[in-house]
Amino acid sequence: MLCKKSTFDACKSTYLPTSTTAQPTQEQINNYLNCVWTCFEDNTLEWVPGSQRVQYQDDDCSYVTTTEMEKVGQDNHIWRFTPIPDTNQITLGGEGVCTWDSVDQFSNAKVEQEFIESFGDSNVCDAGPDQHGPKSWHVIDQVYVPPNLQPGEYLVSWRWDSYMADQLWTGCADVEIVAASTANSDSSSSHEEEEGILQQQDCPSPPVPLPVPSPVAPPSQPSEPTTASPVISTTDPPTKAPTSTGGAVCTDMELPGNWGANGLYTCDTYYNHGGMAYCAHAVLDESCCFCGGGMISSVIATESPSSSPISEESSAPSTSPSESSSASCDSYVDKSACMAVNGCSWRRRSEVCGDAPLNSECQQWDQQRNRCKNKGCKWMSGSKKCKGFWG
């Protein structure tokens, strides 16, 4: 949460005594705290999808990326869990997931070995040597700065709620928000150094597969001859998220709370704004077709008879007959294309498309969000059930 420093100072001068020797009344204290809290709540920051990682000591290049586990709190604010559960937190039936269920990828072999020494291997849930006090590890998240925020001095505040202990921790820091042109200036070396942790410019990155064009259905045959072939742009971003192919239709669900703002925002809004990165949020992952969520229904296509008879005396057909596509699921390299094909589903951890498991198989991963999605099943965040995408 952010509060402009001038507003914060005004709360103090307005509601508390100016004399250092005068003691404030309880009413003055309550009015002051209410003023400050309102200032912070007016600028609640949103998490950056896919930004969470657990860093080893102060080595910016040694970290493990994790899948964020989130929950909706008061006024639809999104809270994030720490990816490292306390000792026996899950084993004793508490909320959260096992340590390795949050792990996505290690930046190098060294940090993976350190992680195993601290928390055990993938067979250990929440009983690692450093589970209760992981002093060598830092949980790092990123938040968006609202683009309409005025430059200036601010206070940033955050809050930790302990899970196993009846404790609540808060913290704050002074920050300065500068205009984008100033932040991107080549002369701003100090700003670039501060951004170094986020940019990871000097860290070797794991190999990333090159993007491959996803299968595209051939355009329909025009009823009248044309003199020029249509031109299809390959650079302009789509304005509508993919919703159907392969004899099935996916319908986006209405987004709840602040995500939908009573119909102001839809899945298409987030698809055009940030694309697949927003699928890290459980609400969008479950509600939006481009994330593999939404409501799937089958359709039966019927062909209407041609209105114009075909002449038997034509010397040659105007176009070659199109061939039906029978591509297997593993031929799709793009998640949105994979999830729109009847019988296919996306494996999150391996990032491949495969045959979709059935409900009977997916049900064994109820209450296990990451394993459910890693196996190509659909996670229902409300009921915490694991289901098959296609029945």
Side-chain angles (χ1 to χ4, degrees):
M1 298 182 290
L2 281 176
C3 176
K4 198 169 181 63
K5 188 176 183 299
S6 58
T7 305
F8 183 88
D9 292 339
C11 291
K12 180 179 179 181
S13 60
T14 301
Y15 295 106
L16 296 181
T18 56
S19 173
T20 57
T21 58
Q23 294 295 320
T25 65
Q26 187 61 50
E27 182 180 2
Q28 289 175 319
I29 294 175
N30 293 340
N31 290 336
Y32 165 72
L33 293 177
N34 182 66
C35 178
V36 169
W37 187 247
T38 300
C39 178
F40 277 112
E41 282 205 320
D42 284 344
N43 286 305
T44 302
L45 305 179
E46 294 185 6
W47 303 105
V48 175
S51 66
Q52 189 180 77
R53 71 178 189 269
V54 183
Q55 179 178 302
Y56 180 65
Q57 296 184 345
D58 293 328
D59 184 356
D60 297 342
C61 297
S62 293
Y63 57 90
V64 49
T65 57
T66 55
T67 299
E68 303 95 341
M69 183 175 176
E70 300 176 336
K71 67 186 299 184
V72 180
Q74 185 178 359
D75 297 328
N76 287 324
H77 294 318
I78 305 298
W79 291 71
R80 278 190 177 177
F81 286 76
T82 173
I84 308 297
D86 202 350
T87 302
N88 293 327
Q89 175 178 325
I90 313 303
T91 301
L92 297 178
E95 198 172 11
V97 297
C98 294
T99 306
W100 280 80
D101 283 344
S102 296
V103 172
D104 281 338
Q105 191 175 30
F106 293 96
S107 63
N108 54 56
K110 170 192 170 185
V111 72
E112 182 175 4
Q113 184 58 40
E114 296 290 350
F115 194 86
I116 292 174
E117 291 182 6
S118 293
F119 308 110
D121 60 22
S122 58
N123 295 315
V124 178
C125 178
D126 52 5
D130 298 335
Q131 205 78 46
H132 180 68
K135 296 181 180 179
S136 296
W137 300 88
H138 310 290
V139 179
I140 299 175
D141 283 284
Q142 295 182 26
V143 291
Y144 286 116
V145 176
N148 60 342
L149 211 60
Q150 294 296 320
E153 295 182 333
Y154 287 81
L155 296 173
V156 59
S157 173
W158 62 94
R159 166 177 159 178
W160 291 82
D161 284 11
S162 300
Y163 185 81
M164 300 287 282
D166 188 15
Q167 298 175 353
L168 185 151
W169 300 82
T170 61
C172 63
D174 296 304
V175 297
E176 181 180 2
I177 295 178
V178 298
S181 59
T182 304
N184 295 330
S185 172
D186 293 336
S187 61
S188 182
S189 59
S190 60
H191 181 76
E192 291 177 356
E193 290 175 359
E194 293 171 0
E195 289 286 320
I197 294 179
L198 304 183
Q199 295 173 358
Q200 295 292 335
Q201 293 179 351
D202 299 327
C203 300
S205 302
V208 178
L210 296 175
V212 180
S214 41
V216 178
S220 59
Q221 174 64 28
S223 58
E224 297 292 335
T226 57
T227 57
S229 300
V231 177
I232 301 176
S233 170
T234 58
T235 57
D236 294 339
T239 58
K240 177 80 174 170
T243 57
S244 67
T245 189
V249 173
C250 179
T251 304
D252 292 326
M253 299 179 184
E254 183 177 351
L255 299 179
N258 288 343
W259 289 104
N262 293 323
L264 178 62
Y265 306 124
T266 66
C267 290
D268 291 333
T269 305
Y270 296 98
Y271 180 78
N272 291 315
H273 182 66
M276 302 300 295
Y278 274 101
C279 297
H281 289 285
V283 170
L284 300 182
D285 186 58
E286 180 178 339
S287 303
C288 299
C289 296
F290 76 89
C291 291
M295 300 177 64
I296 304 295
S297 59
S298 299
V299 295
I300 300 175
T302 59
E303 295 183 0
S304 58
S306 173
S307 59
S308 301
I310 300 176
S311 172
E312 297 180 355
E313 297 180 359
S314 300
S315 58
S318 58
T319 57
S320 300
S322 60
E323 296 181 358
S324 61
S325 174
S326 58
S328 60
C329 293
D330 58 12
S331 66
Y332 295 93
V333 296
D334 177 74
K335 178 180 178 181
S336 58
C338 169
M339 294 306 304
V341 178
N342 193 354
C344 298
S345 67
W346 187 257
R347 271 67 171 168
R348 189 189 63 178
R349 176 164 292 182
S350 56
E351 295 188 344
V352 297
C353 185
D355 294 334
L358 299 176
N359 269 331
S360 56
E361 181 180 353
C362 294
Q363 289 172 355
Q364 63 182 301
W365 296 297
D366 285 351
Q367 311 296 322
Q368 303 178 62
R369 176 179 181 267
N370 286 330
R371 291 185 181 178
C372 174
K373 301 183 72 172
N374 289 340
K375 298 295 185 180
C377 302
K378 182 176 182 179
W379 175 253
M380 312 301 292
S381 59
S383 61
K384 296 185 179 180
K385 299 291 185 180
C386 188
K387 295 184 177 181
F389 277 99
W390 304 98

